[in-house]
Amino acid sequence: MFVSVRYQVTGATAADISASIESGIRDAALAPGDPLPPVRTLAADLAVSPATVSRAYAELRRRGLVVTAGRHGTRVRPRPPVAARRAALRPPPAPGLRDLSRGEPDQRLLPPLRRHLAALADTVGDPVGYPDLGVLPEMTEVAGARLTADGVPAPGLTLTGGALDGIERLLGAHLRHGDAVAVEDPGWTGLLDLLAALGLRPIGMPIDDDGPIVAGVAAALAAGARALIVTSRAQNPTGAAVSADRASALRTLLAGRADLLLIEDDHAAELARVPLHPLAGATTHWAFLRSVSKPFGPDLRLAVLAGDETTVARVAGRSRVGTGWVSTVLQRLVLSLWKDPEVTALVDRAAESYERRRHALIAALADRGLPAHGRTGINVWVPVDDETSALTALRDAGWAVAPGALYRIAGPPGLRITVSDLNEEELPALADAVARAARPTPSPSFTA
């Protein structure tokens, strides 16, 4: 059954037709995987030429909304990049549910900005013009020193408007539409949305607590991946962190690759309680991103990007003809936060709090015979046999968690539970509910 039976595509021009289909995707009238009519069928229905429909479909493919696969025809992309992001597909918690699905830091543990903003107002000085804007020399010095202390080389350094902005700029500088990108599976929904928007093809790499599995990375490279994206620590949704042994094995696998862009995302940064084991420099073209949003607040849209000189130059050059620079006011605010020992202590307390709650939940689930994962970060990943039944059982028990389907490409099912604002007195009840939901009591069978 083609989409025209359930959703009426309209339009007399290629632009109108593509807009009509996009509207159907955005409003969920067209679901991921739904087929679109063959070109000639839709052309006849709309009384336009097949060339007009072909141009509409080509525009939708270019923007990552649909995919065409030979005799299987044209279908809505599994993760179409329209206004409703993949993360927005998380079922909204019903009133009265305890919501542990959001994946956000505890706002009570974020550093207050008022004092730093007030001090900045007194010291920022007179307005400056365009020639004086860019990465502040002090930011380059301090950020470079912080990276070097963690073993990350910084032959080149620039800033982007957060980690995802940096990844988008890196991919745009090195890859072309249709190229394959190796990503963690399960992995970050924002990244999966971005790849779809850029018209890039994700290849899932299985992961364990120590990061991407070497054999999975090798398989992705053999399948033609042009870029590899690895989360250094606090991987979302599983909490994995690249261990020393895994980093050594991956560096050996990647050594000298000139045809691969390596991107590392250390979004947890100061919140991570395990050592960093970077892959930086293993390939000819590489970049290491560290954002400030998780430890200091989601509204601070700044990430430090270190990399080889060519890669950094490409990103910085592209920025100059686009947004231009990351606000120097924001740079000065971040510098002030980095230098404040009280802020450092508060971030450290937040990291300890997340660590304590995460380990307590994992231990409580283990006591109930249920394995769970979460070496670092603010999330715990719980493998289950059936996500739908587990989510329903938890909802009935008063809990809302995130379905693993939002994060998976081909990996096994699971649930993501965010511990950032979980109260310790809630742990026993939550662990009981999760254990029951993951292993539901089978219905009585009929007997003769």
Side-chain angles (χ1 to χ4, degrees):
M1 180 183 296
F2 290 118
V3 67
S4 56
V5 175
R6 296 190 295 108
Y7 176 76
Q8 186 60 52
V9 179
T10 61
T13 67
D16 291 341
I17 295 168
S18 64
S20 173
I21 294 172
E22 178 177 352
S23 177
I25 296 171
R26 186 172 57 248
D27 296 339
L30 299 178
D34 274 353
L36 299 183
V39 169
R40 293 189 178 277
T41 300
L42 185 56
D45 290 345
L46 299 179
V48 299
S49 72
T52 298
V53 177
S54 292
R55 287 196 298 273
Y57 283 9
E59 171 63 16
L60 292 167
R61 283 195 301 272
R62 185 187 68 79
R63 295 180 47 231
L65 293 167
V66 303
V67 291
T68 300
R71 67 178 64 186
H72 298 292
T74 300
R75 294 178 177 268
V76 177
R77 194 179 185 96
R79 299 176 184 87
V82 292
R85 297 177 296 116
R86 185 170 176 80
L89 299 178
R90 185 184 73 239
L97 293 186
R98 183 69 170 92
D99 187 6
L100 303 177
S101 69
R102 295 170 62 83
E104 298 178 358
D106 187 344
Q107 293 190 7
R108 298 169 298 180
L109 299 178
L110 295 174
L113 303 180
R114 182 184 300 273
R115 175 168 57 85
H116 293 271
L117 289 170
L120 188 61
D122 292 336
T123 61
V124 72
D126 295 328
V128 294
Y130 290 102
D132 303 308
L133 298 171
V135 181
L136 297 173
E138 186 181 7
M139 173 61 77
T140 300
E141 178 183 354
V142 175
R146 292 169 75 88
L147 291 177
T148 300
D150 277 337
V152 180
L157 189 148
T158 190
L159 302 177
T160 63
L164 199 61
D165 177 57
I167 293 173
E168 178 175 5
R169 294 179 184 279
L170 287 161
L171 295 174
H174 283 271
L175 273 62
R176 296 179 297 177
H177 188 277
D179 281 344
V181 180
V183 297
E184 296 151 340
D185 184 16
W188 184 23
T189 56
L191 177 58
L192 296 175
D193 282 340
L194 175 63
L195 296 182
L198 296 177
L200 300 172
R201 179 168 52 92
I203 299 178
M205 303 178 296
I207 64 173
D208 60 17
D209 290 334
D210 293 331
I213 295 172
V214 177
V217 177
L221 298 182
R226 293 283 316 284
L228 167 66
I229 303 177
V230 175
T231 308
S232 303
R233 303 176 287 191
Q235 196 266 355
N236 187 0
T238 70
V242 177
S243 65
D245 288 344
R246 186 62 52 82
S248 176
L250 289 174
R251 290 182 69 90
T252 298
L253 175 66
L254 302 174
R257 291 286 297 254
D259 59 339
L260 180 75
L261 172 64
L262 169 64
I263 301 175
E264 290 179 90
D265 177 13
D266 188 36
H267 67 95
E270 291 85 355
L271 287 178
R273 304 283 284 190
V274 297
L276 179 70
H277 301 291
L279 307 177
T283 57
T284 301
H285 299 296
W286 61 274
F288 182 95
L289 281 158
R290 176 174 288 173
S291 66
V292 303
S293 298
K294 283 293 190 301
F296 300 110
D299 197 34
L300 303 182
R301 310 307 301 163
L302 181 149
V304 177
L305 188 157
D308 66 275
E309 292 183 357
T310 298
T311 295
V312 171
R314 287 183 182 182
V315 172
R318 181 63 183 85
S319 296
R320 281 195 292 271
V321 297
T323 56
W325 63 91
V326 172
S327 165
T328 57
V329 176
L330 176 56
Q331 292 182 53
R332 294 181 190 279
L333 175 59
V334 171
L335 282 167
S336 178
L337 294 169
W338 279 347
K339 294 176 179 179
D340 187 341
E342 292 184 10
V343 170
T344 300
L346 179 58
V347 171
D348 190 61
R349 287 197 298 273
E352 192 279 331
S353 175
Y354 297 148
E355 188 92 347
R356 185 177 63 253
R357 284 179 274 182
R358 195 182 64 252
H359 284 319
L361 176 58
I362 292 172
L365 292 172
D367 289 343
R368 291 156 176 80
L370 190 64
H373 303 273
R375 282 189 63 202
T376 53
I378 62 175
N379 298 304
V380 168
W381 178 260
V382 183
V384 297
D385 292 331
D386 186 327
E387 287 180 13
T388 301
S389 65
L391 286 166
T392 301
L394 281 169
R395 181 198 62 199
D396 292 344
W399 304 92
V401 302
L406 297 179
Y407 313 96
R408 297 186 288 109
I409 298 174
L415 305 175
R416 191 196 72 176
I417 303 174
T418 300
V419 303
S420 54
D421 66 345
L422 179 65
N423 299 320
E424 294 185 49
E425 58 268 22
E426 298 176 299
L427 280 167
L430 173 61
D432 286 340
V434 173
R436 287 194 299 267
R439 294 190 299 266
T441 303
S443 301
S445 58
F446 290 104
T447 58

